[in-house]
Every structure is written in structure tokens, then in C-alpha cells.
Amino acid sequence: MQRIALLTSGGDSPGMNACIRAVARKAIYHGLEVMGIKRGFNGFIEADMYPMNLGSVAGIIHRGGTILHTARSDHFMTPEGRAKANENVKRFGIQGLVVIGGDGSFRGASVFHQEYGLPVIGVPGTIDNDIAGTDQSIGFDTAVNTAVEAISKIRDTATSHERTFIIEVMGRHFGFIALAAGLAGGAESILVPECPFNYDEICERLMRGYKRGKLHSIIVVAEGVAGGIEVGRIIKERTGFDTKVTILGHLQRGGMPSAADLILASRMGARAVELLMAGSKKDMVGVKAGEIIAVDIDEALSQTKAIDTEMCNLAVSLSI
Amino acid sequence: MQRIALLTSGGDSPGMNACIRAVARKAIYHGLEVMGIKRGFNGFIEADMYPMNLGSVAGIIHRGGTILHTARSDHFMTPEGRAKANENVKRFGIQGLVVIGGDGSFRGASVFHQEYGLPVIGVPGTIDNDIAGTDQSIGFDTAVNTAVEAISKIRDTATSHERTFIIEVMGRHFGFIALAAGLAGGAESILVPECPFNYDEICERLMRGYKRGKLHSIIVVAEGVAGGIEVGRIIKERTGFDTKVTILGHLQRGGMPSAADLILASRMGARAVELLMAGSKKDMVGVKAGEIIAVDIDEALSQTKAIDTEMCNLAVSLSI
Amino acid sequence: MQRIALLTSGGDSPGMNACIRAVARKAIYHGLEVMGIKRGFNGFIEADMYPMNLGSVAGIIHRGGTILHTARSDHFMTPEGRAKANENVKRFGIQGLVVIGGDGSFRGASVFHQEYGLPVIGVPGTIDNDIAGTDQSIGFDTAVNTAVEAISKIRDTATSHERTFIIEVMGRHFGFIALAAGLAGGAESILVPECPFNYDEICERLMRGYKRGKLHSIIVVAEGVAGGIEVGRIIKERTGFDTKVTILGHLQRGGMPSAADLILASRMGARAVELLMAGSKKDMVGVKAGEIIAVDIDEALSQTKAIDTEMCNLAVSLSI
Amino acid sequence: MQRIALLTSGGDSPGMNACIRAVARKAIYHGLEVMGIKRGFNGFIEADMYPMNLGSVAGIIHRGGTILHTARSDHFMTPEGRAKANENVKRFGIQGLVVIGGDGSFRGASVFHQEYGLPVIGVPGTIDNDIAGTDQSIGFDTAVNTAVEAISKIRDTATSHERTFIIEVMGRHFGFIALAAGLAGGAESILVPECPFNYDEICERLMRGYKRGKLHSIIVVAEGVAGGIEVGRIIKERTGFDTKVTILGHLQRGGMPSAADLILASRMGARAVELLMAGSKKDMVGVKAGEIIAVDIDEALSQTKAIDTEMCNLAVSLSI
């Protein structure tokens, strides 16, 4: 193996740059050449790539976003798009591809491997932490910390008003951010897409707390459940409480990566290179029980990650 | 003068605790007794107050919120409410009152002074910075920093998507936070209640930037102009751009106060005590050109604070 | 079981308050009474304790330090001290004790259990992460994040000077903080007590980088290796490079706990109560492979935690 | 005027990039060309410069450090160095120069103007805030916030130990950072180069607090007074108290600029361009009473900035 390529794909997540740095440095350390592909699979198709050196990744470790940019690529979903990408594989002599992104990106990589045989390694980079086969994905820890800081600031101001604060966090299909941030933030209620809930129960809980002297409550809601503004409107209607809404939005994708994400990104990026050098064909890097592992990319894609019900119950029992 | 009282009123702002500490310590330093009144004018009416000592204000300087709690008081707006408060003035031997809050609170304090003669000192504590007679109010600098940090995080993720990010900040009637945060954040457009705007112009500006290769834009909007979600909907309709909305909400009231707010709060609180000791009857503490000053509270209330048009123009010329 | 007691001991760590909250709430949730003991084992001996209720732990989850205060207790190291503590066990009807702290504190708890039979549960709370039997202790993640933020700020200013920056972090006998922070911070060299090093090698590495055009370097050093100022002096002598030293000191013990520490503290605190209710006699709560576990406290104390050599090697290969 | 040049010089400070952005955008807005000179006056001598466009300054506003790099230049202190620089002035058709830096840099710019007539504008960028003729310099507010955050974290951990914490901040000849950070941080003692102090008084104050029940104290010391480690050693010797030292070092130069610094940098940078366009010959931009002003650069250099004794006294009276 002499030359590999690297791209980031899908929604960006904090720590992607640390992972890019690790892939590039580890590869260079072992004498490999690295092509940095820009704008995800679009750059793969359009030959928008450049050779990376040590300087290409200097000073980027702590920056949010991705220096390679990212995009979702409809074109790569088509056979024509992938055929054009394969021309670039041949043209540039690429012998292995590292894809940092989410499951949509891995699906594309897997199809490309099936069709053209290029070894591909997926590295899970998404704040949603919704990828099976790994305990944690790059960016999740940072996103949760961002949400907890927001909750903490709102708590500062909450202590003297009879108010209900609603904080909408990311999570269209999964409640991982909401659950972790709600538990760490000491939220009174946490609404996630995986668990049924009804407004009666939530409002009753609010009223019960209020009667016991609790003057404020914080409700964390994953965007996939309902818009924060909608939740606020309904609760206000039913309880008469003043509700205030914060929507964190893309705030959660930015910021300096947390130490845990920086370490995870570094370890995963390095492992991706080792896997290619060892002859892997289509693996995803993951972390299980603290150890960096490799799983077949299709196997990982075939599973669904389940929310930890122990943590759900804990959150309820601690916010009495 | 032997005994003064102190309350926080209206919306809380970061730095109020540092101001409480300064009032209490400065008073104790000069041998005065200090009664801390809880829940704003409500506690004044209901005799919810306690004698403060050095320990009462230990370890609070960096905390958001207010240890005295705050509330808006309808009861104090009535003659009956104020009569009850005056009974407490006599009962507890209060000879001066420091009110940390916004213009609504100062209006109440001024009426109370007129009716019962108690010397009152207003200290401007509001993130909105909408109080005439002072260049800055306690909490504004912190709120702007919070908004800028949010913009900075969103910028991290913005660089590789063809997207328009809308950030709604506080400011029902004034655009001070929006203007300062937008300028400091390098926003492409800033919408404030004081300045007319039309969507055509904004959309045209977005399209122009897009044609020049600018793939993302950040628009800061004060809540008084329109809801962020509404702005996002309209821009999407007219330009076809994907718009993403963040609503900071009460996030902006919390967090550790900035150094500038801590210093301002300390200086203003100390001055409030000095004014009472020197025989002031109804003054507001302010800061002008870096100096702590006193202005007649009614004079301050009679004016309206104007937005700095130089800064508006600067923001436009720098975000070309 | 009707009544348990709770104390924090040894050096404080961020997340201790979240753990106190979890112990208290979980116990109250199950109908138990909780006595909060102040100043570690000193308060245990001197009967400095109070019954906790839901309000005792309201609003503390995000605060650094410990509301129960902490201390190292020489008195509890003596049979007399422990005998006095046991009188309080009988006097207050304490049936189980939760000790949040490090290995010295667990040793004291274990001896007390041997002598008087009181069930004791240790919860690992120390930024040093030096406790065997658990992958992570409460406060470590926060301390590493604090150190990484410091490195990141220093990196900002480092890019244009021919300078070597030395950052001294905590770790008298262990290099866990230094290794994690150095790896996450992209440090050029990491000096830990567990691994031999010589200045020749470090200086050579610096010179090599310099010749390749690297104008600045960051060296992270655990305090147990040598003082940062000493390291700076020696490197300057041998290379002629300007060296600048930052000593983080107790900075690393403070600050809002990270999300990971808040969740770990909540889970561990809740488990400590469950263990007492289930009849545990002398266990330490730990986390292994993401799962909360219980290990015999003496077994945990008999082992030594080893540094992860894979991470050491990774740090070296990524900072070429 | 058709083409101007821009450099950063001396120690870097947070906000320099925002100022570079403002100079470049304001100039381009008015149709001027801008040359970015690298590594301060060294790049001026060695023709290390490049034409800047809107893209050159995109995405830099929130970053610490300076994209133009900075250095102290011995060569520019010589007539030969300046003669070479003047050749580049002619070669590149430079008609005005903006220098962002401290008084040493302004002195160089002033001499160059005297010798060769090139219009020069100084913009005060230094965390030390030691430049007369302006109330504030770019970076000071950020550095003070960094120091206050450090104090705040140390305060978290300080509350339960009989300890004295010493925090060494920057300031070789001036105590501006120490005074502001100490006041905002609620420090018990603040040692600055401008004010005499003796250890007896400080130790007495510590003992007095201790007898009153104060278990911990925070002392902020400017590096110009004495090394933090030295101060800790002496206090320990005299009082027997355990002293813990933190040296912030270059931490204070880094980090995302505060909102106030971002706004100040933007306003000052824009004004620098306006001044050149209006025919200024050798001015320094400053801020007085909130207004951006221009002062003759030599006049500013001839004065010495005095510390605010009102703030010194306030700090003492509030930390009783």
C-alpha cells in the first residue's frame, strides 16, 4: 500500500479535524501518501483532492468543523457518480479510502467497495451517536457538553421564577443527546423519540413539583419528538405556567472538541490506517468497553442502536 | 445612617450577585447594617428579609442569577402594596434602599420615594442595556459574550454547507445585544427593532454573497423584530436556501459573569452605598466614559437610549 | 436499612456534588434517611453532620468542589479517632456509609468496617484517576478537559514564535492527566512518572522539529516528574530556545464538571445506595467497559493502575 | 491612496485577527488594496507580504493569535533594516502602513515615518493595556477574563482547605491585569508593581482572616512583582499555611477573543483605514470614554499610563 485517500461526509461533528490529523500523520509516519478529498463524495467524484503533508494538518486539532469540508452527495447515490469516482481512484492510484461520517456515508462506501473492490474504512463521526457497532462516535461527547452548559446557564436564571424552561436538542430519530444531556443537566423531564410519553403525565409531574415548592423545571426535548416551541405552547395551555424555549440547533455541532472526543478521534483515525495497512476490506472502526475495535461495516449498518433504559430510569429517580 | 436594605428586581442578569456582595461588604466596611430582601418588591411587602453578614455574600461573586431571587411585583404597583412595604421600613428601621434591576423597578422605587420619603438608589442590572443615563448595565457584557460564543460555534459548522443560519437573541424593544453580538460575531445581517429592514434587501444580499462564492451566512435577529423561526421560513421561501434556526432564549441570562460585568457590578454596588451615606435621595448609579456617576433616577427614566448608528454602519461595511 | 451517611474525603474533584445529589436523591427515593457528614472523616469523629433532604442538594449538580467540604483526617488514622466515630454511628443510628474520595479514604473506610462492622461503600472521586478497579474516577474527565483548554489557548499564541511551551499538570505519582491531556492537546512531548525519559532525547526531538521548520513545541509534564520551571530551565540551557512555563495547579480541580463526569457521578452515587440496600459490606463502585460495577474495596486497594502504553505510543507517532 | 500595508508586531494578543479583518475589509470596501506583511517588521524588511482579499480574512474573526504572525525585530531597530524596508515601500507602492502592536512597535513605526515620510497608524494590541492615550488596548479584556476564569475555578476547590492560593498573572511593569482580575475575582490580596507592599502586611491580613474563620485566601500577583512560587514560599515560611501556586503564563494570550475585544478591534481597525484615507501622517487609534479617537503617536508614547487607585482601594474594601 502506497497511497490512501480520506474524506469527511454527512453532517460535520467536533473532532473530525483531530481524526483527519491522526489519519494523515499515522499514514505519513508509516511512509504512505494521503490524498485529502474535499466536500465528501462530491470531491471524490469531481477529483477535488490534494496531497496532504504534515503541515496540512498542523494547528487544526482543536478546531470545530472539518478542513476537508463535508456535504451530502446525491450524485454518489447513482451508479454514474460512483463510476466517475472510480476513474479518480485509478487516475490517482488510490488503494484505500477512509470515510469519516455517519451511516449514510458508510452505506455509500460499502456499495462502492462492492462495485469496485476498493478497501474502505468507516470512522463514526456524528454528534447523534446513532451508529451501532460502537459505544461512542466522534462528536457526541462534545455535543452533550454543549447542551449541558446551556442547561447549566438556564438553571442559573431559573431559580427564582415560576417557570418551565424547554430546551430543544438535536436528535431526529434518536434521543442519545437528550438523555445524556438531561441526566447530566439534572432535567426534570426528558423527551426522546424512543420512549412514549404523554403531556398529561409531564404536566402532572410539573404540578406535583410546583405544589411541593419547586418553582422551576427544565424539560429537555429531542427535536424528533416535537418542536420545543410546540411543547412549550402545549404545556402552557395545560398548566398555565410561563414557558420559555431555547433551541440549540447547530450550536451543538460546533465548538472546540472535548478531550474525550479528541482522544477518540486520534485513536480511531490511527486505527483506520493500521486496518488498511493490514489488509482490511470494509471495516468500521469502533470503540467497545474502552478498546478500539474493527467491525464489518455491513454488520454495523444492519443493527440499530438502542437507548440505555437504565439511564432513563435513573434520570427519573434523580429528578424527583 | 445605620441600616439599609437591598433587593434585586425584574429579570435577573449575570453580575447581580457581585453587586449584592459589593453593597453588603461596602456597607459592613463602613459599619452599616444590611437587610437582604428576597423576591424583589414582593419580599419588601411581605417582610421576607434577613440581616446580611460577610458570610452571606461569601463565594457568590462568580455565580449567575441572584441569591436574593427576583420577581416582578404587581402588588407593589398598587398603593396598598407600597403602604405595606412602608410598614416594614418602619418596623425594621430601614433608612435607605438599593434596588438592582431595570427601569420598571426604578419607576416603582421612585414612586415609593415620592410617597414615603425613603432614600432610594437604583443600580442598572439588565442584560438588555436599555437604560438611559448609563453607558452599560450589569449583565449586558456577559449576555453579548454568550451570544458571540454561540455564533462562533455555529460558524465552525457553517463553512461547508450552502446554508443560512439564523440566531435569535434577546431584545424585545431594543437591538443592543443583537448589534453588539452581530458585530463581534461577524454576522452577515443584523436585524434590530430600531432600524427598518425588508426581506428583499436581505435576500438580495444573501444571493449576492452566494454568487461571489460565499456558501454560508449568519443572520442575527433581535426577538422584537420577528421570531427566528419566522425569519428562517421567509428567507427559505424567497431564496430556496436551507435555513437553520437557533433560539438562545434564557441562555443569555445565565453563566458566570464576564470580568467587565464583575468589575462594573462591584464599582456600582460600592457607589450605591456611598451615595446613601452622602445623603442622596433618589439617584441611579451609572457609568459614563468609564467613570461611575450618579444621575437623578427620574431624569434617567425620562430618556430613551439610542442605538449607535456608527456601529450599525460598521457592521454592514465589514460583512461585505 | 433506614439511615445512611455520606461524606467526601481527600482532595476534592469536580462531580463530587453531582454524586452527593445522586446518593441523597436515590436514598430518599427509596425512603431512606441520609446524614451528610462535613469535612470528611473529621466530621464523622466530631459529629458534624445533618439530615439531608431534597432541598439540600437542589441546584448543586453543576458546581465544582463539594458542599460537604473535604479534608484529610489524621485523627481517623488512630484507633481513638475511629472509636469516637463509632460512637456517632450508634448515636445517630447510621447503618451504612458512602465515602466519596480516593484510595487513602477507602483504606480508612475499610479499616473502620473491619473494626466496627459498618457497611461501607467507596465511590472513586479524584482527578488523578489512579484508583485500580475502575476505568475512570469522578473528576478525571473534567481535569483533562481543563488541561486541554489550557494547551489550546497556548497553541493560539505559539504559532509565530520560536518557543518551547512547558505546561505542568497534576500527577505526583501517575501520568494519567498528562498523557490524556498531551494526546488530546497534540503535545510534542509528554513526560510522565511511569516512563523513563532523558532530556537529551527531548532536546534532540525539539531540534529536529526546529530544523524541519517547526517553530514552536508544547511539552506537557506531570508534576511528579519535575517542576515545570525546572524543565524549562534545563531545556533552555541545552537548546538555547526560549521556554515559557505554565503551571495549572489547582485550576484542574475546579470548574463545572464535564457531562461525562456528571453522568458517571450520578450513576455511581445511585449504585452506592443500591449496594447498601442489597446488603453489601465493603464494596467500591467502579466503571468497567461502560458498565457500573462493584468490586471488593480491599481487592481494588491491593492493585496498581497501569498507564496505557498504546496511548503513549500513539501520542509519539502523531506528534512527529 | 491606492495601496496600504498591514502588520502585527510584538507579543500577540487576542483580537488581532479581528482587527486584521477590519482593516482588510474596510480598505477593500473603499476600493483600496491591502498588503498583509508577515512576521512583523521582519517581513517588512524581507518583503514577506501578500495581497489580501475578502477570502484572506474569512473565518478568522474568532481565532486567537494572528494570521500574519508576529515577531520582535532587532533588524528594524537599525538604520539598515529600515532602509531595506523602505525599498519594499517603493517596490510595492505602499502608501500607508497600519501597525497593530505595543509601544515598542509604535516607536519603530514613528522613527520610520520620520526618516521616510510613510504615513503610519498604530493600533494598540497588547494584553498588558500599558499604552497611554487609550483607555483599553485589544486583548486586555480577554486576558482579564481568562485570569478571572482561572480564579473562579480555584475558588471552587478552595472552600474546604486551610490554604492560600497564589495566582501569577502577566504584567512585568504594570499591574493592570492583576488589578482587574483580582477585583473581578474577589481576591484577598493583589500585588502589583506600581504599589509598594510588604509581606508582613499580607501575612497579617491572612492571619486576621483565618482567625475570623476564613479558611482560604486567593492572592493575585503580577509577574513583575515576584514569581508566584517565590511569593508562595515566603508566605508559607511566615504563616505556616499551605500555599498552592498557579502560573497562568501564555494562557492569557490565547483563547477566543471576548466580545468587547472583538468590537474594539473591529472599530479600531476600521478607523485606522479612515485615518489613512483622510491624510493622517502618524497617529495612534485609541478609545476614550467609549469613543474611537486618534492621537499623535509620539504624544501617546511620551506618556505613562497610571493605575486606577480608586479600583485598588475598592478591591481592598470588598475583600475584608
Side-chain angles (χ1 to χ4, degrees):
Chain A
M1 182 150 295
Q2 228 177 325
R3 176 178 280 184
I4 64 172
L6 165 68
L7 61 82
T8 51
S9 173
D12 62 320
S13 71
M16 279 188 165
N17 279 328
C19 191
I20 292 169
R21 171 182 177 268
V23 170
R25 295 214 161 175
K26 182 76 178 176
I28 292 167
Y29 182 83
H30 289 293
L32 300 180
E33 291 170 15
V34 189
M35 296 298 289
I37 300 173
K38 302 203 77 168
R39 295 175 301 115
F41 290 115
N42 289 332
F44 196 29
I45 295 169
E46 300 162 23
D48 188 2
M49 55 183 82
Y50 64 102
M52 303 186 90
N53 55 35
L54 291 178
S56 313
V57 295
I60 68 165
I61 187 169
H62 294 141
R63 278 201 217 145
T66 152
I67 59 162
L68 291 177
H69 295 199
T70 177
R72 303 184 202 273
S73 170
D74 290 338
H75 199 181
F76 197 74
M77 297 295 112
T78 68
E80 295 72 31
R82 293 192 295 273
K84 283 197 69 175
N86 191 49
E87 285 170 30
N88 293 323
V89 167
K90 288 184 284 184
R91 174 174 159 206
F92 291 101
I94 295 167
Q95 294 163 293
L97 175 68
V98 178
V99 173
I100 310 172
D103 48 8
S105 312
F106 295 167
R107 233 172 281 279
S110 170
V111 170
F112 190 77
H113 170 75
Q114 273 171 356
E115 293 176 347
Y116 299 104
L118 184 74
V120 293
I121 305 291
V123 180
T126 158
I127 62 167
D128 293 327
N129 206 29
D130 57 355
I131 297 171
T134 185
D135 289 347
Q136 204 111 349
S137 59
I138 299 166
F140 175 65
D141 185 65
T142 307
V144 173
N145 272 297
T146 300
V148 173
E149 272 163 42
I151 296 174
S152 162
K153 288 189 181 182
I154 285 169
R155 195 172 287 285
D156 276 349
T157 185
T159 46
S160 54
H161 301 275
E162 297 176 10
R163 275 176 178 167
T164 303
F165 293 88
I166 288 116
I167 302 172
E168 181 191 312
V169 301
M170 280 194 167
R172 222 162 278 179
H173 306 293
F174 293 90
F176 296 108
I177 293 179
L179 179 57
L183 179 56
E188 272 69 23
S189 295
I190 304 171
L191 311 188
V192 296
E194 292 93 337
C195 303
F197 78 95
N198 65 65
Y199 285 107
D200 289 341
E201 216 174 278
I202 291 169
C203 292
E204 211 181 293
R205 195 180 169 89
L206 284 176
M207 298 301 290
R208 215 166 45 224
Y210 178 66
K211 276 170 198 149
R212 225 186 53 226
K214 198 165 208 166
L215 297 175
H216 66 276
S217 290
I218 291 175
I219 298 175
V220 174
V221 52
E223 60 178 336
V225 171
I229 287 178
E230 173 75 357
V231 173
R233 198 185 50 72
I234 292 172
I235 290 177
K236 186 171 191 171
E237 247 175 53
R238 300 203 184 180
T239 61
F241 292 161
D242 194 11
T243 55
K244 299 286 175 184
V245 180
T246 289
I247 297 178
L248 293 183
H250 273 61
L251 206 60
Q252 296 158 88
R253 286 201 190 282
M256 191 180 103
S258 69
D261 272 331
L262 288 166
I263 293 171
L264 186 65
S266 300
R267 293 174 77 195
M268 284 183 162
R271 179 60 58 88
V273 174
E274 289 171 354
L275 286 168
L276 283 177
M277 289 174 67
S280 275
K281 292 302 171 212
K282 58 169 178 79
D283 275 331
M284 186 189 87
V285 180
V287 62
K288 281 277 175 192
E291 298 296 313
I292 301 297
I293 55 158
V295 288
D296 182 88
I297 209 166
D298 294 314
E299 202 188 305
L301 285 170
S302 69
Q303 293 158 17
T304 300
K305 199 166 187 177
I307 210 158
D308 185 340
T309 50
E310 177 226 325
M311 272 178 50
C312 289
N313 296 335
L314 181 59
V316 170
S317 65
L318 294 189
S319 64
I320 45 172
Chain B
M1 182 151 295
Q2 228 177 324
R3 177 178 280 184
I4 64 171
L6 165 68
L7 61 81
T8 50
S9 174
D12 64 319
S13 71
M16 279 189 165
N17 279 327
C19 191
I20 292 169
R21 171 182 177 269
V23 169
R25 297 214 159 173
K26 182 77 177 175
I28 291 167
Y29 183 82
H30 289 294
L32 299 181
E33 291 170 16
V34 188
M35 298 298 289
I37 300 173
K38 301 202 77 169
R39 296 176 299 117
F41 290 117
N42 289 331
F44 196 28
I45 294 170
E46 300 162 21
D48 188 3
M49 56 183 83
Y50 64 102
M52 303 185 91
N53 54 36
L54 290 179
S56 314
V57 293
I60 66 165
I61 189 169
H62 294 142
R63 279 203 217 142
T66 153
I67 59 162
L68 292 177
H69 294 199
T70 178
R72 304 186 200 272
S73 172
D74 290 337
H75 200 180
F76 197 73
M77 297 295 113
T78 68
E80 295 72 31
R82 293 192 295 272
K84 284 197 71 175
N86 191 47
E87 284 170 32
N88 292 324
V89 168
K90 289 184 284 183
R91 176 174 157 205
F92 290 100
I94 294 166
Q95 293 164 295
L97 176 69
V98 177
V99 173
I100 310 170
D103 50 9
S105 313
F106 295 168
R107 233 172 282 279
S110 170
V111 171
F112 191 76
H113 169 74
Q114 273 172 356
E115 292 176 347
Y116 298 105
L118 184 75
V120 293
I121 305 292
V123 180
T126 159
I127 61 166
D128 294 325
N129 206 28
D130 58 354
I131 298 170
T134 186
D135 289 348
Q136 202 111 349
S137 60
I138 298 166
F140 175 65
D141 185 64
T142 307
V144 173
N145 273 296
T146 300
V148 173
E149 273 163 42
I151 296 173
S152 160
K153 288 190 180 179
I154 286 168
R155 196 172 286 286
D156 275 350
T157 186
T159 44
S160 53
H161 301 275
E162 297 175 12
R163 275 175 178 168
T164 304
F165 293 87
I166 287 117
I167 302 172
E168 180 191 313
V169 300
M170 281 195 165
R172 222 162 279 179
H173 306 294
F174 293 91
F176 295 108
I177 292 179
L179 179 57
L183 180 55
E188 272 70 23
S189 294
I190 304 171
L191 310 189
V192 297
E194 292 94 335
C195 304
F197 78 96
N198 64 65
Y199 285 106
D200 290 341
E201 215 175 278
I202 291 169
C203 293
E204 210 181 295
R205 195 179 169 89
L206 285 175
M207 298 300 290
R208 213 165 47 221
Y210 178 67
K211 276 171 198 149
R212 225 188 51 228
K214 196 165 209 165
L215 296 175
H216 66 277
S217 290
I218 291 176
I219 299 177
V220 174
V221 52
E223 61 177 337
V225 171
I229 287 179
E230 173 75 359
V231 173
R233 199 186 49 72
I234 293 172
I235 290 177
K236 185 170 190 171
E237 249 175 50
R238 301 204 184 181
T239 61
F241 291 162
D242 194 12
T243 56
K244 299 284 175 185
V245 180
T246 290
I247 298 179
L248 293 183
H250 274 62
L251 207 62
Q252 297 158 89
R253 287 199 189 285
M256 193 181 101
S258 68
D261 272 331
L262 288 166
I263 292 171
L264 186 66
S266 300
R267 294 173 77 194
M268 283 184 163
R271 180 59 59 87
V273 174
E274 288 170 356
L275 285 169
L276 282 177
M277 289 173 68
S280 274
K281 291 306 170 211
K282 57 169 181 80
D283 275 332
M284 187 189 86
V285 180
V287 61
K288 282 275 175 194
E291 299 295 314
I292 302 297
I293 55 157
V295 287
D296 183 86
I297 208 166
D298 294 314
E299 203 187 305
L301 286 170
S302 68
Q303 295 157 17
T304 299
K305 199 165 185 174
I307 212 159
D308 185 340
T309 50
E310 176 226 326
M311 272 176 51
C312 289
N313 296 336
L314 180 58
V316 170
S317 64
L318 295 189
S319 64
I320 43 172
Chain C
M1 182 151 293
Q2 229 177 323
R3 176 178 282 184
I4 64 171
L6 166 67
L7 60 81
T8 49
S9 174
D12 63 319
S13 71
M16 279 188 164
N17 279 327
C19 191
I20 292 170
R21 170 181 177 270
V23 170
R25 297 214 159 173
K26 182 75 176 176
I28 292 167
Y29 183 82
H30 290 294
L32 300 181
E33 291 170 15
V34 189
M35 298 297 290
I37 300 173
K38 302 202 75 170
R39 297 177 297 117
F41 290 115
N42 289 331
F44 196 27
I45 294 170
E46 299 162 22
D48 188 3
M49 55 183 82
Y50 64 101
M52 303 186 91
N53 54 36
L54 290 179
S56 312
V57 294
I60 67 164
I61 188 170
H62 293 142
R63 278 203 218 143
T66 153
I67 60 161
L68 292 177
H69 294 200
T70 179
R72 303 185 201 272
S73 172
D74 291 337
H75 200 180
F76 197 72
M77 297 295 113
T78 68
E80 296 72 30
R82 292 193 295 273
K84 284 197 71 175
N86 190 48
E87 285 170 31
N88 292 324
V89 167
K90 289 185 283 183
R91 177 175 157 205
F92 290 101
I94 295 166
Q95 294 163 293
L97 176 68
V98 178
V99 173
I100 310 170
D103 49 10
S105 313
F106 294 168
R107 234 172 281 278
S110 171
V111 171
F112 190 77
H113 170 74
Q114 274 172 356
E115 292 176 346
Y116 298 105
L118 184 74
V120 294
I121 305 291
V123 180
T126 160
I127 61 167
D128 294 327
N129 206 29
D130 56 356
I131 297 171
T134 186
D135 288 349
Q136 202 112 349
S137 60
I138 299 165
F140 175 65
D141 186 64
T142 308
V144 173
N145 273 296
T146 300
V148 173
E149 273 164 43
I151 296 173
S152 160
K153 289 190 180 180
I154 286 169
R155 196 172 286 286
D156 275 351
T157 184
T159 44
S160 52
H161 301 274
E162 297 176 11
R163 275 176 179 168
T164 304
F165 293 87
I166 287 119
I167 302 173
E168 180 190 313
V169 301
M170 280 195 168
R172 222 162 279 179
H173 306 293
F174 293 91
F176 296 107
I177 294 179
L179 178 57
L183 180 56
E188 272 69 23
S189 294
I190 304 171
L191 311 190
V192 297
E194 293 93 336
C195 304
F197 78 96
N198 63 65
Y199 284 107
D200 288 341
E201 214 174 280
I202 291 170
C203 292
E204 210 181 295
R205 195 179 169 87
L206 285 176
M207 298 300 290
R208 213 165 46 222
Y210 178 66
K211 275 169 200 151
R212 224 187 53 228
K214 197 163 208 167
L215 296 175
H216 66 276
S217 290
I218 291 176
I219 298 176
V220 173
V221 52
E223 60 177 338
V225 171
I229 287 179
E230 174 75 357
V231 173
R233 199 185 49 73
I234 293 172
I235 291 177
K236 186 171 189 169
E237 249 175 50
R238 300 204 184 181
T239 61
F241 290 163
D242 194 13
T243 56
K244 298 286 175 185
V245 180
T246 289
I247 297 179
L248 293 183
H250 273 62
L251 207 60
Q252 296 159 89
R253 287 200 189 284
M256 193 180 102
S258 69
D261 272 331
L262 289 165
I263 292 172
L264 185 66
S266 300
R267 293 174 77 195
M268 283 184 164
R271 179 61 58 88
V273 173
E274 288 171 355
L275 285 169
L276 282 177
M277 289 173 68
S280 275
K281 292 305 170 210
K282 56 169 180 80
D283 275 333
M284 187 188 87
V285 180
V287 63
K288 283 275 176 194
E291 297 296 314
I292 302 296
I293 56 158
V295 288
D296 182 87
I297 207 166
D298 294 313
E299 204 188 304
L301 286 170
S302 69
Q303 294 158 17
T304 299
K305 199 166 186 174
I307 211 158
D308 185 340
T309 50
E310 176 226 325
M311 272 175 51
C312 290
N313 296 336
L314 180 58
V316 170
S317 64
L318 295 189
S319 63
I320 44 171
Chain D
M1 182 151 294
Q2 227 176 325
R3 177 178 281 185
I4 64 171
L6 165 67
L7 60 83
T8 50
S9 173
D12 63 319
S13 71
M16 279 187 164
N17 279 328
C19 191
I20 292 170
R21 171 182 177 268
V23 170
R25 296 213 160 174
K26 183 75 177 177
I28 291 167
Y29 183 83
H30 289 294
L32 299 181
E33 291 170 15
V34 189
M35 298 297 289
I37 300 173
K38 301 202 78 168
R39 296 176 299 115
F41 290 115
N42 289 332
F44 196 28
I45 294 170
E46 300 162 22
D48 188 2
M49 57 183 82
Y50 63 102
M52 304 185 91
N53 55 35
L54 290 178
S56 315
V57 295
I60 66 164
I61 187 169
H62 294 142
R63 280 204 216 143
T66 153
I67 58 162
L68 291 177
H69 295 199
T70 178
R72 301 184 203 274
S73 171
D74 290 337
H75 200 180
F76 197 72
M77 296 295 113
T78 67
E80 294 72 30
R82 293 193 295 272
K84 284 196 71 175
N86 191 48
E87 286 170 30
N88 293 324
V89 168
K90 289 183 285 183
R91 173 173 160 208
F92 291 99
I94 295 167
Q95 294 163 294
L97 175 69
V98 177
V99 173
I100 310 172
D103 48 9
S105 313
F106 295 168
R107 233 173 282 279
S110 170
V111 170
F112 190 77
H113 169 74
Q114 273 172 356
E115 292 177 347
Y116 298 103
L118 183 75
V120 293
I121 305 291
V123 180
T126 159
I127 61 167
D128 294 325
N129 206 29
D130 57 355
I131 298 171
T134 185
D135 288 348
Q136 203 111 348
S137 59
I138 298 166
F140 175 64
D141 186 64
T142 307
V144 173
N145 272 298
T146 300
V148 172
E149 273 164 41
I151 296 174
S152 161
K153 288 190 180 180
I154 285 170
R155 194 173 286 286
D156 275 351
T157 186
T159 45
S160 53
H161 301 275
E162 296 175 11
R163 276 176 177 167
T164 304
F165 293 87
I166 287 116
I167 302 171
E168 181 190 312
V169 300
M170 281 195 166
R172 221 162 281 179
H173 306 293
F174 293 91
F176 295 108
I177 293 179
L179 179 57
L183 180 57
E188 272 69 24
S189 294
I190 304 170
L191 311 189
V192 296
E194 293 92 337
C195 303
F197 78 95
N198 64 66
Y199 284 106
D200 289 341
E201 214 174 280
I202 290 169
C203 292
E204 211 181 293
R205 196 180 169 88
L206 284 175
M207 298 300 290
R208 213 165 48 222
Y210 178 67
K211 277 172 197 147
R212 225 187 53 226
K214 197 164 208 166
L215 296 175
H216 65 277
S217 289
I218 290 175
I219 298 176
V220 174
V221 50
E223 59 177 338
V225 170
I229 286 179
E230 173 76 357
V231 172
R233 199 184 52 71
I234 293 172
I235 290 177
K236 187 172 190 170
E237 247 174 51
R238 300 203 185 181
T239 61
F241 291 162
D242 194 13
T243 55
K244 299 286 175 186
V245 180
T246 290
I247 298 179
L248 294 183
H250 274 61
L251 208 60
Q252 298 158 87
R253 287 201 190 282
M256 192 181 103
S258 69
D261 271 331
L262 288 166
I263 293 171
L264 186 65
S266 300
R267 294 173 77 194
M268 284 183 163
R271 179 60 58 90
V273 174
E274 289 171 355
L275 285 169
L276 282 178
M277 290 173 67
S280 274
K281 293 302 172 213
K282 56 169 180 79
D283 274 331
M284 185 188 87
V285 180
V287 61
K288 283 277 175 192
E291 298 295 314
I292 302 296
I293 56 158
V295 288
D296 183 88
I297 209 166
D298 294 314
E299 202 187 304
L301 286 170
S302 68
Q303 292 158 19
T304 300
K305 200 166 184 175
I307 211 158
D308 185 339
T309 50
E310 176 227 325
M311 272 177 50
C312 289
N313 297 335
L314 181 58
V316 170
S317 65
L318 294 189
S319 64
I320 44 171

